[in-house]
Amino acid sequence: MIIIVTGTDTGVGKTVTTAALAVRSGPGTVVVKPAQTGIGTDEPDIRAVAHLAGCEVTELTSLEDPLAPDTAARLRGIEIPPVRAHSARIRELARTYDTVIVEGSGGLLVRLDTEGATLLDLAADLARDHPVQVYVVTRIGLGTLNHTELTVNALRSRNLEPAGLVLGAVPAELGLAERCNRTELPRVTGVPIVAALPDGAGALTPENFRAQLESWLGGSGVERGGDFSFSADLLDQPSQ
């Protein structure tokens, strides 16, 4: 199984979602970051995943500046691998591991190489010969409906039906927009909300992160291999 974690924007909670999926998927899981930018300014996403989930991780490209991968590479005049090379590497890993989880950079259409290819291109290519699940991590606040529907429609344009929406950072108190959007997101996209991760989950210790995980994902009736279930009352009682 190959799982793709994308988001409607940067900073929406993809890394924490990726770690949650890695914990749920269990042994035999590897997490891949095709392109990491901003090296030296923030903790690399892959290191945060390894810390929270305790799984194997690998980073295919790293760039200094906190920009889109193609922009960061062009700024420095650096040659970086094309997305087709990432596809080949991920296929190799899929022959060895039960589950390969791929965390994107920024949103779905951020360019991962200097040829213009995106995470959407990577997902569509991998789906030609592997089972692929795509999770869309989104915000719950004002503005999320437009961003989420655009992302979902882009996936469907390549015959990729999202496996579910993940609310990446649910605040302890919900305002009017948040209360409405928990209903509106699945209505306007036709995609279910399958998990709600509380704001600040990434700052928990690995032990607490893993212990609270089931409450965020629903817990009952969830099969291994990355599938989430969801209980709507998680949004009313986010974990502290």
Side-chain angles (χ1 to χ4, degrees):
M1 170 66 70
I2 297 175
I3 296 173
I4 308 289
V5 179
T6 189
T8 55
D9 197 355
T10 189
V12 295
K14 293 188 301 297
T15 298
V16 175
T17 299
T18 299
L21 273 165
V23 173
R24 172 47 57 85
S25 297
T29 298
V30 64
V31 172
V32 180
K33 183 79 174 181
Q36 174 70 59
T37 61
I39 298 299
T41 58
D42 296 306
E43 180 183 42
D45 294 342
I46 214 73
R47 188 180 302 166
V49 170
H51 172 70
L52 291 171
C55 64
E56 293 190 53
V57 299
T58 185
E59 189 176 85
L60 304 185
T61 303
S62 59
L63 295 156
E64 180 179 351
D65 301 288
L67 302 166
D70 72 322
T71 306
R74 292 176 187 278
L75 180 66
R76 301 281 176 177
I78 297 171
E79 293 290 332
I80 59 174
V83 160
R84 60 180 177 274
H86 297 330
S87 294
R89 179 62 179 136
I90 291 166
R91 285 188 170 92
E92 289 178 8
L93 291 169
R95 288 194 288 269
T96 304
Y97 293 87
D98 296 329
T99 305
V100 180
I101 304 176
V102 181
E103 182 188 350
S105 299
L108 182 66
L109 298 185
V110 167
R111 296 183 176 195
L112 299 181
D113 64 23
T114 53
E115 297 179 358
T118 67
L119 185 68
L120 178 58
D121 296 313
L122 177 62
D125 182 62
L126 292 169
R128 291 189 296 108
D129 51 17
H130 280 79
V132 170
Q133 291 181 346
V134 183
Y135 289 96
V136 177
V137 186
T138 186
R139 306 182 195 279
I140 192 174
L142 193 64
T144 192
L145 299 181
N146 177 62
H147 297 158
T148 306
E149 194 164 6
L150 286 170
T151 301
V152 168
N153 287 345
L155 285 164
R156 287 176 175 152
S157 75
R158 301 291 290 273
N159 297 314
L160 293 166
E161 181 62 26
L165 305 178
V166 176
L167 304 178
V170 178
E173 296 185 8
L174 303 185
L176 177 63
E178 288 83 3
R179 293 196 302 272
C180 291
N181 286 341
R182 63 185 179 183
T183 300
E184 292 298 291
L185 278 165
R187 184 185 72 82
V188 301
T189 63
V191 180
I193 297 172
V194 294
L197 309 183
D199 190 24
L204 295 172
T205 65
E207 294 76 18
N208 285 337
F209 181 84
R210 297 168 201 174
Q212 296 187 48
L213 185 62
E214 293 302 321
S215 67
W216 307 334
L217 309 185
S220 61
V222 183
E223 298 179 358
R224 301 187 79 81
D227 293 334
F228 281 158
S229 69
F230 173 72
S231 174
D233 60 10
L234 292 177
L235 291 177
D236 295 318
Q237 299 176 345
S239 301
Q240 300 298 316

